[in-house]
Amino acid sequence: MPKPYPREFREDVVAVARQRDPGVPLRQIADDFGISETCLQNWLRKADIESGARPGTTSAESAETRELKKRLRLLEQENEVLRRAAAYLAGEPEARWFPKMIYPLVRELAATGAPIRVPVAVACRVLKLHRQKYYAWLNQPVTEAEWEQAHRMNALIDAHRDDPEFGYRLLRDEAEDAGWTMCRRTAWSLAAQAGLVSATQRRRRGKGKKPGPPVFDDLVLRDFTADAPNRLWLTDITEHRTGEGKLYLCAVKDVFSNRIVGYSISDRMKARLAVNALEHAVARRGDVAGCIVHADRGSQFRSRKQARALHRHDLVGSMGRVGAAGDNAAMESFFALLQKNVLNRRIWTTRQELRIAIVTWIERTYHRRRRQDRLGGLTPIEYETIMNTNLALAA
């Protein structure tokens, strides 16, 4: 089943179709963007519904209805947990509240034949239990030693609740007074498991943040060639001023045909801009596992979000040196063309106006009309069509 087009791409196509010159048919717009006319008509109809120009249920209303149904079902499950827990714990001593003593109730609620079946995750959240520990208990019943350890821990918790300033040594003394003897080492271990820390203990300094992802090695070494599609992608970000402020474009280029396989446009240059461009490229190209994605050392391409996106699609990251523009020269050449043919042609009043001009030039002119000497006098679309056919016949 083919992947759906990214939302940003659909919005750009609809905007171009709405602002087309008089006499330009929808079929031409659809051909320029490589989609069918029926698909474009469906996008326009949905856009009219979203804007209120046509009656119908908007995506926001559908999402709200689904969310309300989901919330109602969740509330019924939470109410069932509280009702069953009140009956299950009625008349029991406080020690009964130790987590492993309530696990049988969670198992009953999650049983297939339960009147209102409650998932384990919901029951554990309402009862403030850990799912991992519940599943561990489910695989191995509670032993006598665990029963005693549970009561010892409850005694330490009760002592800590009464005197938060006590450390594990004083908590052990209080637990022994309550009838639960243990050595100091056991008291320390149980207090650590329960997170019982003296209120007077000093906290460790530092922000506690994880370090960012490491910089990728340069796997390209300025060799901007590929013998097949989806072997080497280049990506970078450019910006241009408008009357409303700056507009940022992140593009992904396939070196094989020089085609812009993905792009994202936004008014903010954040990591999400690079991730959206990469997701756009993956959605349009299909099987891209093993493809090298080469970028500069900008913070957007070194972010955790970008690293996770590369890992999620089995892509290989690559980065040039600091301050070496030639390490991504093939991508810079595309931005130079864009600058000369679109960005610097006039003064742009709004971001939307410049956005439409950019996507129209990429999809209509650069991909389908601008012939390149490197491709043998063909456009990127023509070159890919011919070469893909040849590769299929050779296979």
Side-chain angles (χ1 to χ4, degrees), residues 80-383:
E80 179 68 7
V81 172
L82 295 175
R83 185 184 67 82
R84 293 287 299 279
Y88 186 81
L89 299 171
E92 295 290 346
E94 189 174 355
R96 183 74 175 178
W97 280 86
F98 187 71
K100 287 190 176 181
M101 306 306 107
I102 311 178
Y103 287 157
L105 173 62
V106 178
R107 181 175 56 187
E108 294 175 10
L109 290 168
T112 306
I116 299 180
R117 189 170 182 273
V118 181
V120 172
V122 176
C124 289
R125 178 174 55 79
V126 175
L127 297 174
K128 297 182 179 180
L129 304 175
H130 294 281
R131 281 185 296 166
Q132 293 84 352
K133 294 181 180 180
Y134 163 75
Y135 285 117
W137 168 86
L138 198 61
N139 294 330
Q140 183 178 3
V142 179
T143 63
E144 192 68 27
E146 289 175 334
W147 178 273
E148 293 182 1
Q149 290 289 74
H151 284 288
R152 291 191 180 105
M153 183 178 288
N154 274 342
L156 294 174
I157 292 174
D158 291 340
H160 183 266
R161 187 182 299 115
D162 295 336
D163 296 289
E165 299 83 7
F166 283 4
Y168 73 91
R169 297 180 180 86
L170 294 178
L171 293 179
R172 167 182 170 270
D173 296 338
E174 294 294 318
E176 286 188 350
D177 292 342
W180 296 99
T181 60
M182 68 192 86
C183 66
R184 284 190 174 184
R185 182 67 182 180
T186 300
W188 172 83
S189 177
L190 293 177
Q193 293 177 27
L196 305 180
V197 181
S198 172
T200 60
Q201 181 175 337
R202 291 184 178 181
R203 302 293 180 182
R204 293 183 180 180
R205 295 183 178 180
K207 297 181 179 180
K209 294 183 177 179
K210 296 182 179 179
V215 177
F216 302 110
D217 294 332
D218 188 352
L219 305 179
V220 178
L221 300 176
R222 301 194 180 187
D223 181 14
F224 304 112
T225 59
D227 55 2
N230 304 329
R231 296 290 177 82
L232 174 59
W233 289 354
L234 307 178
T235 183
D236 203 354
I237 297 176
T238 188
E239 64 182 43
H240 195 74
R241 291 187 178 275
T242 70
E244 297 177 340
K246 288 185 178 181
L247 188 70
Y248 301 93
L249 164 68
C250 180
V252 181
K253 178 180 180 180
D254 193 328
V255 172
F256 173 71
S257 62
N258 286 345
R259 181 177 181 179
I260 303 302
V261 295
Y263 53 85
S264 182
I265 304 174
S266 177
D267 58 347
R268 302 188 66 182
M269 187 169 61
K270 303 184 71 174
R272 176 54 56 186
L273 179 67
V275 173
N276 287 343
L278 186 65
E279 295 287 353
H280 185 183
V282 172
R284 300 186 73 176
R285 301 298 271 186
D287 185 13
V288 296
C291 178
I292 297 176
V293 181
H294 184 75
D296 59 20
R297 295 197 182 185
S299 60
Q300 295 77 20
F301 303 113
R302 298 180 66 251
S303 65
R304 292 188 182 94
K305 292 181 179 179
Q306 181 76 349
R308 286 195 294 266
L310 292 171
H311 178 72
R312 183 166 59 251
H313 299 295
D314 294 328
L315 299 170
V316 182
S318 172
M319 284 189 172
R321 295 166 297 174
V322 176
D327 288 352
N328 204 9
M331 195 68 211
E332 297 292 347
S333 67
F334 166 76
F335 283 146
L337 282 176
L338 179 66
Q339 195 84 23
K340 181 173 64 175
N341 289 274
V342 179
L343 304 184
N344 293 342
R345 293 291 296 274
R346 49 172 287 195
I347 297 177
W348 301 96
T349 306
T350 64
R351 292 190 178 100
Q352 181 66 12
E353 189 179 33
L354 178 57
R355 181 191 188 101
I356 295 301
I358 291 173
V359 299
T360 302
W361 184 82
I362 291 175
E363 297 291 352
R364 178 181 296 173
T365 304
Y366 180 78
H367 281 167
R368 293 171 171 83
R369 298 178 183 175
R370 186 180 181 87
R371 303 182 183 278
Q372 302 184 24
D373 292 338
R374 179 182 173 276
L375 304 180
L378 301 174
T379 66
I381 297 296
E382 292 172 346
Y383 184 80

Side-chain angles (χ1 to χ4, degrees), residues 25-42:
L26 286 179
R27 179 178 296 277
Q28 180 179 338
I29 302 297
D31 292 340
D32 288 341
F33 284 88
I35 60 176
S36 65
E37 183 179 3
T38 303
C39 179
L40 178 55
Q41 291 174 348
N42 291 335

